[in-house]
Amino acid sequence: MSEKNKLFFLSILIAFIGFTSVFSQSIFIRELIVVFSGNEGAIGIILCFWLFWSSVGSIILGKLGRRIIRIERFFFFIYLTYIIFILVELILIRNIRVILRLNPGEIVGPIEMIYISFFVLAPFSLTNGSIFILSVEILSKLLAKNSLSMVYSIDALGDMLGGLAFSFLFVFILSSFHNLYLMVMLNLFFILMYVYFYRLGKIYFFLTTALIFTFIIFGFFVHSIDSFLLNLEWKEFNLIAKKISPYSNIYITKNRDSFSVFENGFLSFSFPEPLNSQETVHLTFLQSKDCKRILIVGEGVSGLLYEILKYPVEEVYYLELDHNLISLLKNYLPPKYKGTLYNPKVKIYNLEARVFLNYYRGEKFDIVLINTPPPYNAYLNRFYTYEFFNKIKTIIKEEGVFSFTLPYQEGYLSKELRNLISSIYYTLNKVFPHILHIPGRELRFIASLSSTQLTYNPDIISARLEKYNLSTEFFNRFYLESRLLPWHINYLGDVIRENSKVRLNYDFSPVSYYYGIIFFSSFFKFWLVRIFYFLIRIKPYFYLILFFMVWIFTYALKKRYFVILSVFSMGGLGIASLIISILGFEIIYGYVYHKIGLMSTFFMLGLACGSNYFNKKRYLRFDFLPYLYFIGAIYVFFLPYLFRLLEKLPIFFSGVSFIFPFLGGILVGLNFSWINALNISKGFIKNPGTIYAFDLVGGGSWGIFLSLFLIPLYGLFISSGIISFILLLSGILNIYYFRSVNYG
């Protein structure tokens, strides 16, 4: 077999391994987000441990690679392990709730997210990092030169293709298990070709062939195994229907005559619940002067539309992002609920609420009713920000009302819940001067631009109810008197007033998201709540001083290792560009669940382009490297401002969002290849896996730090500023380094 043919095949193989890696990663992220109750803030944690274990694998094999005599055969066994772990990983994720005895709908805390990601991602990610370094060793042996940058760029190209394939095609046509089974089969055929190209012998051929036939037989039972795993996960529930959509994994369970809807593992709502539906609608509607034009966001099918249509409404705009949810529920809705979907007064829009508000130019509404879960993640936080409330203000009439709910504890209001409630109350109050706060099983806020209609008086509300001559089974005078207790309302008012110094919630500074994290953490680990409260007292400049001291100390201690630390800095830029792009897109345009793979794809494309560009432009001087950090510092600093600009442009420009992770990828790819070329020239790091590991660890560490702490605490602008400062510092110190050693 000629070296040219081997090189061609090996390049295709490396690209396909990269394809498999990101294709599988996209599925694992989706599945873990379901485990983590739809909390997309966990993406940073998932990426952190994905990159961490990949770096561990690369370091271990980097040290062992050159000592392995028959490296082609060793590669065969690692590749085979990698293939098998694809399905093992999914089975592990699907069973993790069963292993930890977590019921569907039960919220997973931050610490649980960390250790689940740490252990679950280890098998596949370790072999993923190992196979990368083995590919470097085999290609370097074939070409008789260091091929780290070449493998890096080929792998990134495969990563990009895998992300595209999953995001635009396979996510729509196959389930997670079927998709990964397909990946296993394709990789087994690739490993069979590898045995042929490298003449490994008959034993390897027969072993691979036997595995192929085994998995072909296994394929006849894939659907049954998939169903078995799903039923095992939901064994405590009567699961009657499921639907995998681009927006979420939808599950419907039944308990006697009651149905519950779970989206991405989180309980969205149950039906029929007439008490809840009547309370939600009538408490709100009886505070408005008119009820002709209505906007309702979410849960309309749960019985809310049925109660709304009891009023003399003219138009009801019902926003439900995922059309699959309504189509699936039609089979289980009571006839009276199902009939509301065909009422000519009801207009159903499968739109994200923020998109609708950005572009709605029609007549103003009398009532706006928002039915979303509390801000326990960045996506949900968008419905509780100053910017969102301002958009509501523009579409509501002067004497109209805007209503939503938050969690509440009737027996005792914890400090964590007080902060969450107060933050959102004062954010709302900055836009709407008149607010009713009605405590109960949930806390309902009813806000208006005018105070003429708002009242806590049960007699007045009862009179309005009688005026409409409504038939309500549970909502009546007695219910109102028990719900609108003056002492309870006054107590909550006193609590809110005592907490007036709480921080306000903004799109790009989502502090209520942080309060939400603290509140939900209080159910799991009290010591974790103390850590969160400690961090909230730290000023941003503390991190600038801390990183300045660490960077200066490292530079003074061992200058040559500082260059490797710079890889860590640029890895932070890469993950920051990805996370900020995901959150920025989500803030402006809505749900990003089905766009995560696409964002990662553009980042990987940037890596490939940056690495390839350097490989073709080898005349670039080493002492130009510091200026790459200056460019990165400017880029990441202005990234949130670019999203602010996009917010003011038509939705047509939303595609620009995907350019941002692409640009971040270019900078990371250029930096990686530049540092590797410097290492080849000067040899300050013997293990090639170390450079790759620092690149991964940098991205992973910043992923968890940004997702859990920096962004929820300080927002996108300050978080970007901190990373920008680190890159600026790295660039300045690199200038001094290159001058001291006179590299050119």
Side-chain angles (χ1 to χ4, degrees):
M1 184 67 63
S2 68
E3 288 189 0
K4 186 177 180 181
N5 288 338
K6 277 188 177 181
L7 176 62
F8 175 76
F9 169 73
L10 198 56
S11 299
I12 297 296
L13 178 62
I14 293 168
F16 189 73
I17 290 172
F19 179 99
T20 304
S21 175
V22 167
F23 189 96
S24 304
Q25 181 194 65
S26 300
I27 291 175
F28 297 152
I29 288 175
R30 284 172 65 100
E31 292 289 329
L32 279 170
I33 285 177
V34 173
V35 172
F36 299 150
S37 306
N39 190 345
E40 86 296 328
I43 293 172
I45 299 173
I46 296 167
L47 290 176
C48 171
F49 291 109
W50 177 281
L51 297 172
F52 169 78
W53 285 116
S54 294
S55 68
V56 171
S58 68
I59 289 175
I60 293 172
L61 264 295
K63 289 184 176 181
L64 296 177
R66 292 175 183 176
R67 300 177 187 175
I68 300 170
I69 299 173
R70 297 181 176 180
I71 195 167
E72 290 83 2
R73 296 187 178 185
F74 188 73
F75 178 90
F76 170 86
F77 288 107
I78 293 294
Y79 189 16
L80 202 59
T81 306
Y82 172 82
I83 293 169
I84 294 170
F85 277 161
I86 292 173
L87 287 180
V88 170
E89 192 87 5
L90 181 63
I91 293 170
L92 195 56
I93 293 171
R94 287 279 183 88
N95 283 279
I96 196 66
R97 277 187 171 269
V98 178
I99 295 169
L100 298 178
R101 297 181 180 179
L102 296 170
N103 291 320
E106 187 175 342
I107 295 176
V108 177
I111 295 300
E112 285 77 9
M113 289 183 193
I114 289 172
Y115 71 66
I116 287 172
S117 300
F118 180 84
F119 289 108
V120 166
L121 295 172
F124 184 77
S125 301
L126 266 172
T127 51
N128 186 52
S130 302
I131 207 167
F132 176 89
I133 294 301
L134 286 175
S135 300
V136 173
E137 294 294 341
I138 291 174
L139 193 59
S140 298
K141 182 179 177 181
L142 182 65
L143 299 177
K145 63 177 183 180
N146 187 301
S147 301
L148 178 60
S149 294
M150 184 177 178
V151 173
Y152 188 82
S153 59
I154 295 171
D155 178 73
L157 180 63
D159 291 341
M160 181 268 295
L161 294 173
L164 284 175
F166 178 77
S167 300
F168 283 111
L169 181 61
F170 290 93
V171 68
F172 297 103
I173 58 177
L174 293 173
S175 70
S176 296
F177 203 88
H178 285 84
N179 273 321
L180 292 181
Y181 171 75
L182 178 62
M183 282 298 102
V184 167
M185 290 303 300
L186 290 174
N187 274 279
L188 283 172
F189 282 109
F190 263 98
I191 204 170
L192 186 63
M193 287 188 284
Y194 174 79
V195 170
Y196 168 75
F197 272 92
Y198 278 88
R199 309 295 188 194
L200 296 186
K202 292 181 180 180
I203 295 176
Y204 295 88
F205 176 80
F206 286 125
L207 176 60
T208 309
T209 305
L211 278 172
I212 289 173
F213 280 110
T214 301
F215 273 94
I216 288 174
I217 296 170
F218 179 81
F220 291 104
F221 304 97
V222 165
H223 182 75
S224 300
I225 295 171
D226 193 19
S227 299
F228 171 76
L229 290 174
L230 192 64
N231 290 328
L232 187 64
E233 184 181 356
W234 292 82
K235 65 178 181 178
E236 302 296 331
F237 295 77
N238 178 21
L239 183 66
I240 59 171
K242 66 169 184 175
K243 178 73 175 180
I244 310 300
S245 84
Y247 299 102
S248 63
N249 292 2
I250 305 168
Y251 304 97
I252 301 177
T253 64
K254 183 179 181 182
N255 182 18
R256 297 181 181 177
D257 296 326
S258 178
F259 299 84
S260 296
V261 179
F262 294 82
E263 294 181 86
N264 283 339
F266 186 80
L267 177 61
S268 291
F269 59 90
S270 299
F271 68 91
E273 286 192 346
L275 173 59
N276 184 61
S277 299
Q278 289 177 23
E279 176 185 294
T280 299
V281 172
H282 303 305
L283 266 181
T284 302
F285 274 56
L286 295 174
Q287 299 288 347
S288 177
K289 182 180 180 181
D290 292 310
C291 52
K292 295 178 181 179
R293 294 180 50 76
I294 315 299
L295 172 64
I296 176 173
V297 179
E299 296 189 23
V301 291
S302 67
L304 300 183
L305 286 176
Y306 177 73
E307 296 297 327
I308 288 171
L309 290 172
K310 292 178 180 179
Y311 289 86
V313 298
E314 294 178 357
E315 282 186 313
V316 180
Y317 283 61
Y318 172 32
L319 305 185
E320 192 67 71
L321 176 62
D322 194 351
H323 71 278
N324 292 289
L325 177 64
I326 295 177
S327 62
L328 187 63
L329 283 175
K330 283 180 180 178
N331 301 317
Y332 307 100
L333 290 174
K336 61 182 181 181
Y337 290 180
K338 186 176 180 180
T340 61
L341 299 174
Y342 303 100
N343 191 299
K345 295 180 180 179
V346 177
K347 297 180 179 180
I348 301 174
Y349 294 91
N350 298 124
L351 281 175
E352 218 284 332
R354 294 292 289 256
V355 174
F356 177 85
L357 292 175
N358 285 341
Y359 302 104
Y360 178 75
R361 296 294 181 270
E363 189 179 341
K364 291 187 176 183
F365 294 98
D366 297 297
I367 298 167
V368 177
L369 192 58
I370 305 292
N371 303 288
T372 57
Y376 77 98
N377 63 37
Y379 170 73
L380 293 171
N381 185 76
R382 300 160 54 257
F383 297 103
Y384 302 93
T385 63
Y386 170 76
E387 291 84 354
F388 181 75
F389 296 152
N390 246 329
K391 291 180 185 296
I392 294 292
K393 180 182 176 180
T394 63
I395 65 163
I396 202 166
K397 293 179 181 178
E398 183 72 20
E399 294 183 330
V401 295
F402 165 49
S403 178
F404 61 89
T405 61
L406 288 176
Y408 194 72
Q409 297 166 336
E410 290 192 87
Y412 168 71
L413 270 183
S414 65
K415 179 182 177 182
E416 296 76 34
L417 187 53
R418 292 180 186 206
N419 287 335
L420 176 61
I421 290 171
S422 300
S423 173
I424 294 174
Y425 174 85
Y426 284 109
T427 304
L428 178 65
N429 193 231
K430 192 173 181 181
V431 179
F432 290 92
H434 309 287
I435 305 171
L436 297 182
H437 49 270
I438 304 175
R441 293 176 303 162
E442 294 179 309
L443 167 60
R444 178 161 297 279
F445 283 138
I446 301 175
S448 179
L449 298 171
S450 169
S451 63
T452 55
Q453 289 293 116
L454 299 185
T455 180
Y456 288 113
N457 192 320
D459 294 328
I460 295 175
I461 299 173
S462 297
R464 292 174 184 174
L465 181 65
E466 292 173 5
K467 178 184 174 183
Y468 282 112
N469 194 27
L470 302 178
S471 173
T472 55
E473 184 180 358
F474 301 102
F475 191 88
N476 50 43
R477 176 185 292 272
F478 304 106
Y479 168 81
L480 287 168
E481 289 175 349
S482 65
R483 182 70 190 271
L484 301 173
L485 296 171
W487 69 266
H488 202 172
I489 293 169
N490 293 335
Y491 164 73
L492 179 58
D494 291 339
V495 167
I496 293 173
R497 280 187 290 273
E498 289 169 3
N499 241 17
S500 59
K501 293 183 180 180
V502 75
R503 290 163 58 183
L504 302 187
N505 193 35
Y506 296 92
D507 278 348
F508 288 84
S509 185
V511 70
S512 291
Y513 167 33
Y514 192 74
Y515 288 134
I517 292 174
I518 297 176
F519 170 62
F520 286 109
S521 297
S522 67
F523 290 97
F524 304 98
K525 301 284 188 299
F526 186 71
W527 60 266
L528 182 62
V529 173
R530 290 184 176 180
I531 293 175
F532 282 126
Y533 276 126
F534 170 76
L535 290 170
I536 206 169
R537 290 194 293 268
I538 296 176
K539 302 299 181 183
Y541 62 76
F542 167 81
Y543 297 104
L544 302 183
I545 296 171
L546 176 65
F547 286 118
F548 178 81
M549 292 174 64
V550 171
W551 260 238
I552 293 294
F553 179 77
T554 305
Y555 179 80
L557 189 66
K558 261 191 177 176
K559 292 181 181 179
R560 65 195 185 107
Y561 285 155
F562 175 75
V563 179
I564 301 301
L565 188 60
S566 299
V567 178
F568 178 90
S569 305
M570 194 59 81
L573 177 140
I575 202 71
S577 68
L578 182 58
I579 290 177
I580 292 173
S581 296
I582 288 172
L583 294 179
F585 185 94
E586 191 172 60
I587 287 167
I588 300 171
Y589 304 109
Y591 211 43
V592 76
Y593 181 69
H594 61 306
K595 295 286 197 302
I596 293 170
L598 198 54
M599 289 279 187
S600 300
T601 295
F602 276 89
F603 176 71
M604 296 300 176
L605 178 60
L607 286 179
C609 291
S611 182
N612 275 316
Y613 178 80
F614 182 86
N615 292 336
K616 292 178 180 179
K617 304 286 183 180
R618 290 192 172 275
Y619 57 81
L620 292 172
R621 291 168 56 92
F622 291 139
D623 54 358
F624 286 174
L625 178 62
Y627 299 101
L628 187 68
Y629 292 90
F630 297 148
I631 293 171
I634 294 169
Y635 165 71
V636 77
F637 181 82
F638 284 104
L639 187 54
Y641 294 95
L642 292 173
F643 276 101
R644 274 291 194 199
L645 179 63
L646 277 181
E647 195 173 19
K648 299 175 182 178
L649 298 176
I651 195 171
F652 172 78
F653 289 93
S654 63
V656 176
S657 305
F658 297 97
I659 296 175
F660 301 146
F662 172 73
L663 294 175
I666 287 178
L667 293 173
V668 175
L670 269 172
N671 180 70
F672 181 86
S673 295
W674 220 322
I675 294 291
N676 182 56
L678 179 63
N679 187 44
I680 292 171
S681 173
K682 304 301 176 182
F684 49 82
I685 295 293
K686 294 181 180 180
N687 182 356
T690 302
I691 300 175
Y692 183 58
F694 265 82
D695 183 52
L696 297 178
V697 170
S701 302
W702 278 108
I704 198 167
F705 195 47
L706 282 167
S707 300
L708 272 186
F709 303 112
L710 280 189
I711 290 177
L713 257 178
Y714 307 116
L716 299 185
F717 294 105
I718 293 178
S719 300
S720 296
I722 291 172
I723 296 174
S724 178
F725 172 80
I726 293 169
L727 289 165
L728 188 65
L729 183 61
S730 298
I732 293 170
L733 292 178
N734 268 305
I735 287 177
Y736 284 104
Y737 173 71
F738 284 114
R739 285 179 180 175
S740 68
V741 295
N742 194 28
Y743 282 177

